């Protein structure tokens, strides 16, 4: 697989290809807050439909699901906290019915939506070069570095909306709608 950054709307998946969605993609698809960035939601939702239509493979790791769960619940916490302008902490939120309700909703989304779309992949962490995970760490995110290594090892295509992926870390194809990341492909 060659190193390249590809604009999402111009890419047509092939049946033999394997894709790996970053947690932010699952957030856009399954945690849309009102009409927040509806054009981005549409791009990634349409791409998921293309993958399904072509019967391409889609994979997810436990770390992505953990990120998805935590980000979704944290968004709900911020809404809950701001609703009454209170200064309550997250640990207090976890004792509320609101937390139980959102945790149940997110659990359902993971089990019956995401895991119906994507196959679980073992993370192969024991095989990864630890030094690779920390290259360009000042400009990136440890989880994203891990995903980049995982997709390389399993010859998958990484689909992300994260604009902070350093070009030095990209060794396999990335599909995105993020203008900042796409700009790296021309520089």
């Amino acid at each position: 697989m060659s190193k390249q950054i590809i604009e999402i709307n111009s890419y047509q998946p092939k049946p033999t290809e394997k894709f790996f969605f970053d947690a932010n993609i699952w957030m856009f698809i399954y945690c849309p807050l009102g009409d927040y960035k509806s054009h981005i939601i549409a791009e990634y939702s349409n791409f998921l439909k293309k993958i399904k239509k072509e019967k391409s493979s889609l994979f997810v790791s436990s770390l992505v699901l953990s990120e998805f769960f935590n980000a979704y619940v944290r968004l709900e916490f911020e809404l809950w906290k701001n609703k009454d302008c209170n200064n309550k902490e997250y640990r207090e939120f976890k004792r509320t019915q609101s937390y139980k309700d959102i945790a149940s909703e997110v659990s359902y989304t993971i089990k019956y939506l995401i895991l119906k779309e994507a196959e679980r992949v073992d993370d192969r962490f024991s095989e990864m070069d630890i030094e690779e995970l920390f290259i360009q760490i000042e400009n990136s995110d440890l989880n994203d570095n891990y995903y980049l290594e995982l997709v390389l090892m399993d010859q998958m295509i990484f689909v992300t909306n994260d604009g902070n992926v350093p070009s030095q870390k990209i060794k396999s194809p990335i599909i995105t709608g993020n203008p900042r990341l796409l700009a790296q492909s021309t520089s």
Side-chain angles (χ1 to χ4, degrees):
M1 289 192 148
S2 64
K3 167 188 164 176
Q4 55 186 325
I5 301 170
I6 306 159
E7 202 280 323
I8 192 162
N9 293 320
S10 69
Y11 194 80
Q12 181 59 43
K14 297 165 192 61
T16 56
E17 291 177 319
K18 301 188 295 186
F19 296 91
F20 185 88
F21 283 8
D22 196 351
N24 58 49
I25 303 305
W26 294 116
M27 288 294 289
F28 281 121
I29 294 170
Y30 289 120
C31 180
L33 296 174
D35 283 331
Y36 177 74
K37 297 188 178 183
S38 58
H39 68 287
I40 297 173
I41 293 168
E43 282 181 335
Y44 292 110
S45 294
N46 290 337
F47 192 72
L48 176 59
K49 288 175 189 170
K50 286 181 182 179
I51 287 173
K52 289 165 53 175
K53 182 180 178 191
E54 290 301 319
K55 295 183 173 48
S56 303
S57 299
L58 180 58
F59 293 91
V60 67
S61 72
S62 58
L63 185 56
V64 165
L65 295 177
S66 177
E67 273 193 275
F68 175 82
F69 184 92
N70 291 329
Y72 200 133
V73 171
R74 286 283 180 173
L75 280 173
E76 194 65 30
F77 165 65
E78 291 300 324
L79 293 172
W80 174 81
K81 186 172 80 169
N82 293 333
K83 186 176 177 182
D84 298 319
C85 298
N86 64 48
N87 292 324
K88 295 188 176 180
E89 294 182 24
Y90 185 70
R91 62 186 158 90
E92 294 173 275
F93 174 63
K94 288 186 79 171
R95 293 191 294 260
T96 68
Q97 187 61 46
S98 293
Y99 175 81
K100 291 176 187 170
D101 293 344
I102 195 64
S104 178
E105 181 181 323
V106 179
S107 297
Y108 178 90
T109 300
I110 288 171
K111 292 188 286 187
Y112 299 107
L113 298 176
I114 295 175
L115 290 175
K116 295 295 181 203
E117 307 283 3
E119 296 177 51
R120 293 181 285 176
V121 64
D122 289 326
D123 74 357
R124 300 177 60 195
F125 180 65
S126 63
E127 300 172 36
M128 289 184 188
D129 179 352
I130 297 301
E131 293 304 318
E132 282 293 322
L133 298 179
F134 293 96
I135 291 174
Q136 292 292 315
I137 196 66
E138 66 279 1
N139 301 319
S140 62
D141 171 284
L142 182 61
N143 288 354
D144 289 333
N145 289 354
Y146 153 82
Y147 299 144
L148 291 169
E149 289 302 309
L150 181 62
V151 299
L152 182 63
M153 290 169 66
D154 287 343
Q155 297 183 333
M156 294 184 276
I157 299 170
F158 189 41
V159 181
T160 186
N161 195 60
D162 191 339
N164 293 325
V165 179
S167 58
Q168 302 92 315
K169 292 290 302 168
I170 301 170
K171 298 176 185 170
S172 58
I174 292 180
I175 294 177
T176 189
N178 185 301
R180 187 170 159 195
L181 187 54
L182 287 166
Q184 288 188 41
S185 67
T186 59
S187 55

